[in-house]
Amino acid sequence: MYKILKAEKLAEKIYLMDVLAPRVAKHCQPGQFVIVKMDEKGERIPLTICDYNREAGTITIVFQSIGASTTKMAELKEGDCFEDFVGPLGCASELVHEDIEELKKKKIVFIAGGVGTAPVYPQVKWLHEHGVDADVIIGAKNKDMLILEEPMREVAGNLYVTTDDGSYVRKGMGTDVLKDLVNNEGKKYDLCVAIGPLIMMKFVCLLTKELGIPTVVSMNPIMVDGTGMCGACRLQVGDEIKFACVDGPEFDGHKVDFDQAMKRQQMYKTEEGRAMLALTE
Ligand code: FES
């Protein structure tokens, strides 16, 4: 059993939990994910790791209650336990494999959308701890949906916040901020990492293609069971077929077929759609 040491509501329907899982905490790297299961009959839920503390043996997860399982999960309190907490799974962010001195020469910008701020955080923190300060743009629907602003401020080189409705800091999307930084403030970036809803990552990639900035995206949003078995996370990357949970979750954003991924995500929501996919693949 894996004990919840802290349970906190970050925003409407967004929750943070610190879970005691020493083995996962010992080996995990930014970009990887875990699969949690509340009880024996519970659904397996893949969640990207938001933070880890190797000494304390804890993993921080952040999730949005969007279905029956995550809504039930949101009711768990400090002291409750997960039956299963499997990980670390998936490939670590490529950043952690790069030469630090080379990384220090690079200008990196992260764009986080909504709950995608959670998987961006450990990458920015890791870079900061290795002497690389990246720029970070966080976008949220409104002020109440904004998460992890303060922790992110502590590890980001520069933090830019934007809200769709203008209820906090500035009005607009993360792409508007990036456009401003590059076109009006003369910033130059060698790499962009975008994590958030598929539609957001699609538009970030369209923009960064135009601006000539190589871009990495995390396809965590299309995972269902996270095991390579269900087929939900199958996606086209260039001329290859990949599975987000096994080959990713991070991919070259300029090669990902987002339209196909969004269509599959929609179809996967219904039994009929899943049957259709099974017939056509
Ligand atoms: Fe099921 Fe990847 S999430 S195969």
Side-chain angles (χ1 to χ4, degrees):
M1 299 294 265
Y2 300 85
K3 198 170 183 179
I4 299 166
L5 300 185
K6 178 171 137 187
E8 193 187 324
K9 186 172 179 179
L10 291 183
E12 189 56 31
K13 293 193 173 182
I14 304 179
Y15 301 84
L16 175 147
M17 286 176 184
D18 281 349
V19 182
L20 189 60
R23 259 182 301 165
V24 185
K26 191 172 170 195
H27 301 289
C28 70
Q29 295 283 7
Q32 291 188 294
F33 67 95
V34 290
I35 293 178
V36 306
K37 216 170 99 175
M38 267 180 295
D39 48 48
E40 219 178 306
K41 290 185 194 141
E43 201 185 329
R44 300 160 60 90
I45 305 168
L47 294 169
T48 318
I49 293 167
C50 171
D51 200 3
Y52 50 88
N53 183 326
R54 301 209 201 278
E55 286 75 46
T58 56
I59 294 285
T60 304
I61 50 170
V62 169
F63 62 95
Q64 198 162 12
S65 58
I66 39 170
S69 298
T70 41
T71 302
K72 208 171 143 203
M73 202 165 119
E75 287 165 13
L76 294 174
K77 296 179 295 297
E78 192 181 310
D80 289 341
C81 290
F82 284 104
E83 154 115 7
D84 251 336
F85 197 89
V86 182
L89 299 166
C91 307
S93 159
E94 280 189 18
L95 292 172
V96 307
H97 301 302
E98 281 194 42
D99 181 77
I100 295 295
E101 293 314 311
E102 288 304 311
L103 267 183
K104 282 182 184 165
K105 292 181 203 154
K106 280 190 181 172
K107 291 270 170 260
I108 306 170
V109 61
F110 285 82
I111 306 190
V115 81
T117 309
V120 161
Y121 176 73
Q123 300 200 29
V124 180
K125 184 179 171 191
W126 186 93
L127 286 171
H128 177 70
E129 286 170 351
H130 289 80
V132 184
D133 283 334
D135 284 354
V136 180
I137 302 167
I138 304 182
K141 268 194 185 138
N142 54 50
K143 186 174 191 281
D144 296 336
M145 300 294 284
L146 187 73
I147 59 165
L148 304 172
E149 182 189 0
E150 282 322 308
M152 195 70 92
R153 197 175 295 286
E154 282 170 29
V155 292
N158 294 294
L159 179 68
Y160 307 91
V161 174
T162 186
T163 46
D164 295 1
D165 66 354
S167 53
Y168 188 56
V169 188
R170 64 172 278 169
K171 184 176 164 69
M173 308 283 171
T175 43
D176 297 323
V177 180
L178 180 62
K179 245 186 265 176
D180 256 13
L181 290 173
V182 173
N183 294 337
N184 302 328
E185 294 191 27
K187 291 249 187 185
K188 286 191 171 40
Y189 293 109
D190 305 301
L191 175 69
C192 172
V193 180
I195 308 183
L198 293 181
I199 188 78
M200 174 216 120
M201 294 193 284
K202 172 183 166 170
F203 281 101
V204 169
C205 288
L206 287 174
L207 174 65
T208 54
K209 221 175 198 176
E210 216 179 283
L211 297 173
I213 308 171
T215 300
V216 170
V217 294
S218 173
M219 298 306 283
N220 180 282
I222 62 170
M223 288 191 219
V224 172
D225 71 348
T227 62
M229 304 290 283
C230 73
C233 69
R234 186 180 193 268
L235 80 155
Q236 187 83 35
V237 184
D239 49 18
E240 291 178 287
I241 298 290
K242 299 278 186 189
F243 287 84
C245 65
V246 179
D247 305 310
E250 294 190 353
F251 296 97
D252 178 343
H254 293 166
K255 289 191 179 160
V256 170
D257 185 337
F258 284 101
D259 292 333
Q260 189 205 56
M262 284 188 280
K263 205 168 140 201
R264 283 182 59 84
Q265 194 185 37
Q266 272 313 106
M267 287 181 83
Y268 222 87
K269 283 183 182 157
T270 65
E271 206 159 310
E272 205 188 343
R274 286 197 290 276
M276 280 290 287
L277 285 172
L279 278 178
T280 52
E281 284 168 358

